[in-house]
Amino acid sequence: MVAPDGSDPELALPGFALAPPEEALRLAERDEAPDVIVVAAAVDDSVAFAQRLHRVDRSIALVLLAEPERLPSLTQSVMFAPFLGPDVGCRSAADPLLAAEVAELAEQAAQRRRFRAALASAGAQLTAATLERHPQARRLAGRLLDDAPLAIVALAADGTVSAWNRRSAETLGRLEREAVGQPLESLLTLAEPDELRTLLERATAQAGEPATAILELREDGGSRFFEATASATGTGDATVLLMLRDETARVEAAREREAARAELSFLVEAGDALAAPTRIEDAFGVLAQVAVPWFADATIVDLVEEAGLRRVAVAGRDPDLLATLEEVQRRYPPSPDSPQPAARTLRRAAPLLLQLDKESLRETCVDEEHYALMLRVAPRSAVVVPLVARGRTLGALTFIRRSGRDPYDEQGVELARRVGERAAIHLDNVQLLKTAQDRARAARVLDAIGDGVFLLDREERVLLWNPAAERALGVASAEAVGRRLGDVLSAWAALAPAVPVAAVGEAARPETVPVQLGEHELWLSIAGIALEEGTVYAFRDAASEAALERMKSDFVATVSHELRTPLASVYGAALTLERPGIADDVGRRRQLTRLIVEEGERLAQLVDDILLASTLDSGRIDLARELVDVRDVAVRAVEAARAALPDPGRVRFRRSDPARAVGDAQRIRQVLANLIDNALKYSPPDAPVIVELERRTASIRVWVRDEGIGIPASEQGRIFEKFYRADPDLTRGVGGTGLGLYICRELVRQMHGRIGVESRVGKGSSFFFELPRAA
Ligand code: ADP
């Protein structure tokens, strides 16, 4: 016994001699090979090595070793490798029974070899006797032939049968007289006629040395396998002697063993395919591939989804088949109530074995075009297994074999079922993982959103309380969760009836409700959605929304009031001008026309302010950045104000040095005019308004001081807001939109300056703005 030494440290088989693989080959060529050769796991491409050995001598029993994890793929390679004899097994190097098994194999192989040698020499004697045509020898030969426990056939030089013993008649089903004189090939239905020819040639070429091969004979019920030993004996009637030994049982047993191993390897590979990728499509794509061509010519995976069925993978043995399957998938996507096998399997929730002919194939199709496509797929047989995990049917796995290949049988269904079981478990795991990930994501979203969210169970106990709820309600999640909401928020009992709760899928219109939290009151805009396990509420602080609402209605009120006054004057004046007789009263007419012009200007100013405010809001205004002599601008603004006053001396400019700033002269003038206008509006008609310049280190400051009504400290921060007007009682009678100071602030800001006020109620106000000073 020789174990070629691939320097495998694991290989310790007592009683074995170790030799390098090349040495083993040389021994085989000299016919000195041992009966069993064990090829170590470390030998590179042990299958190729086995093929080379078996080309030299098929009768050597081989055991190929592999690491346990490589065993399935090795087994599969051996299954499909050509030129290998029947005695090739794959084992794990770590198999504890390996040594015993090898020893037993060696024993069997030795026996077979001894037997063959004996027969070969008997055959040679027999041939000699036949050649001599000695009657006694002939009798002897006849007896030998007939008593031999093997089918023995002698062939003449032309390949026809010259002798056919009793055993041949029994095993090959033809009588001697039918066989003799016929070419041997015509008597046997060989799966590979070439194999016989090669065997005979080899025997002739190596005269005296028997050659061996395994021949497969096709018969009605299947195949039989014969170990054929041919030896050339000389010339005449029996140039070659062929001995056939029925090895069907052994070959089948070996095939079954190999098939079982291949099945195992399919299962392992399917398991691997499913285990690696986490995207369902990828996993099932690989799974579909693994089954082709070993188990199926085509594989289809359909998954059950909310919307129905989804085909997630198809695999086909060749590109044409795959293309046809993809077309079927595109044009006839599976639907739950279709006659397609996958849908049928899902409905009955049990494996389905179909043997198909043209008629029954039609029954699985939706229409004629579908049928035409399926005829191109040409399924002969199909197994469909449902994917079931934890009582839920998740999908179906379809395996298809075309004609020209054994149809599926119960064993096939069983294997498919086992693959299906694994696939279902994997699918279930992936879905569970996805749900968990979705939950985690949802939880992160809940943590991040600005809306307060809490979930109550049916007993109104808090199950979830997000950080926004913590902030808005001032109650930590740890404090709230597990307690009844009524105990967490004492106001809840009174509020609950007012909070709208919608069903899932409906939209609840939030209600704004007041919530008393200790000292202060909150306004929450809140709505709930009823779930199976309770109710989830979402809310936001309505205070800012309320402010916005108030601002909107303030705007409408102010603007419409401000518009109505001048409009009423214009309307009234126009009506009066219509009156008969007014034409003569020139003075009155001039007065009315003047009123219309003035009110028209006021309206235009108002509209301008509104437009400017909204332009400033959107930041779309373009301001010049130029050197501006602020003193000059101030002098002009003061002059303009004085011109419109009955007592021009009321507005005064306190003399100063020139002061240059960076900004937009036009807009600086507008700001100043606005402040002077306000100072005049909010102070008695005789109180002075003083404009003053102050040169500061980095800026020029402009002051507008009045001795008017003043602004309470609490209002000073807010008067610059849009539409804000201080105490309506105080300003009653004085028109305004609350836009002026807002516009001033925005303009100054955009010129990189700032604006402010110092004021005392009843004493007066000093507004100022400052701009960056030019060097
Ligand atoms: P409007 O004057 O059109 O109401 P503004 O934005 O110019 O709008 O001013 C906002 C509010 O600030 C005024 O309504 C008024 O209450 C207050 N205010 C502005 N200027 C003065 C001032 N010089 N003295 C007293 N209050 C003022």
Side-chain angles (χ1 to χ4, degrees), residues 252-263:
E252 273 180 357
R255 286 208 164 182
E256 263 167 37
R257 263 202 321 274
E258 295 306 338
R261 278 174 199 212
E263 263 181 33

Side-chain angles (χ1 to χ4, degrees), residues 37-157:
I37 290 183
V38 180
V39 185
V43 171
D44 280 348
D45 199 352
S46 51
V47 176
F49 175 63
Q51 285 171 324
R52 285 172 66 197
L53 260 175
H54 268 189
R55 283 194 167 182
V56 179
D57 186 349
R58 275 171 69 87
S59 66
I60 300 170
L62 286 172
V63 179
L64 309 185
L65 297 187
E67 311 297 340
E69 63 276 10
R70 279 201 52 238
L71 201 53
S73 64
L74 180 64
T75 308
Q76 207 160 1
S77 317
V78 166
M79 264 287 285
F80 295 110
F83 308 121
L84 284 184
D87 276 333
V88 184
C90 303
R91 296 288 184 277
S92 157
D95 189 339
L97 293 179
L98 182 63
E101 214 173 327
V102 171
E104 200 183 309
L105 272 176
E107 183 51 38
Q108 284 170 6
Q111 261 179 19
R112 274 207 303 280
R113 191 168 270 221
R114 280 199 296 275
F115 188 60
R116 265 202 309 270
L119 278 174
S121 80
Q125 287 171 22
L126 173 83
T127 322
T130 315
L131 284 175
E132 283 167 23
R133 300 177 190 278
H134 193 282
Q136 210 177 347
R138 213 184 265 274
R139 269 202 306 282
L140 174 68
R143 270 200 28 221
L144 242 173
L145 267 175
D146 284 343
D147 291 348
L150 290 170
I152 298 176
V153 177
L155 296 176

Side-chain angles (χ1 to χ4, degrees), residues 674-675 678-679 681-682 706 709-711 719 721 724-727 731 735-742 765 767:
N674 227 317
L675 295 181
N678 277 351
K681 262 196 328 195
Y682 299 107
D706 67 57
I709 56 176
I711 304 158
I719 50 175
E721 286 172 17
Y724 191 83
R725 306 198 68 208
D727 190 351
T731 54
T737 51
L739 281 174
L741 287 181
Y742 169 75
S765 312
F767 280 85

Side-chain angles (χ1 to χ4, degrees), residues 619-635:
R620 281 192 315 247
I621 190 153
D622 276 333
L623 294 179
R625 277 181 68 73
E626 56 198 3
L627 278 184
V628 180
D629 182 345
V630 184
R631 185 179 67 164
D632 195 41
V633 173
V635 169

Side-chain angles (χ1 to χ4, degrees), residues 453-500:
V453 175
F454 56 85
L455 173 66
L456 302 185
D457 68 9
R458 292 175 174 284
E459 269 78 55
E460 300 225 309
R461 245 186 301 274
V462 177
L463 297 175
L464 183 151
W465 190 262
N466 80 339
E470 289 185 333
R471 285 192 298 274
L473 302 173
V475 180
S477 162
E479 247 174 81
V481 171
R483 288 171 64 201
R484 289 172 58 98
L485 185 57
D487 300 335
V488 179
L489 276 185
S490 49
W492 180 249
L495 287 182
V499 177

Side-chain angles (χ1 to χ4, degrees), residues 695-725:
R695 281 152 55 112
R696 299 165 71 94
T697 334
S699 61
I700 304 292
R701 190 178 269 207
V702 183
W703 288 97
V704 179
R705 306 185 196 275
D706 67 57
E707 294 169 12
I709 56 176
I711 304 158
S714 60
E715 304 282 328
Q716 288 175 13
R718 307 200 57 190
I719 50 175
F720 297 96
E721 286 172 17
K722 196 163 23 165
F723 300 123
Y724 191 83
R725 306 198 68 208

Side-chain angles (χ1 to χ4, degrees), residues 27 121 126 157 200 209 234 241 292 302 307 366 370 408 411 428 485 502 522 577 579 636 650 657 661 679 696 713 766:
L27 287 177
S121 80
L126 173 83
L200 297 178
E209 283 283 314
L241 208 58
V292 173
D302 294 305
V366 175
H370 186 192
Y408 287 112
Q411 243 179 319
D428 189 44
L485 185 57
L522 266 184
L577 280 173
R579 281 213 198 116
R636 283 158 192 272
R650 205 182 145 197
D657 296 331
R696 299 165 71 94
S766 293

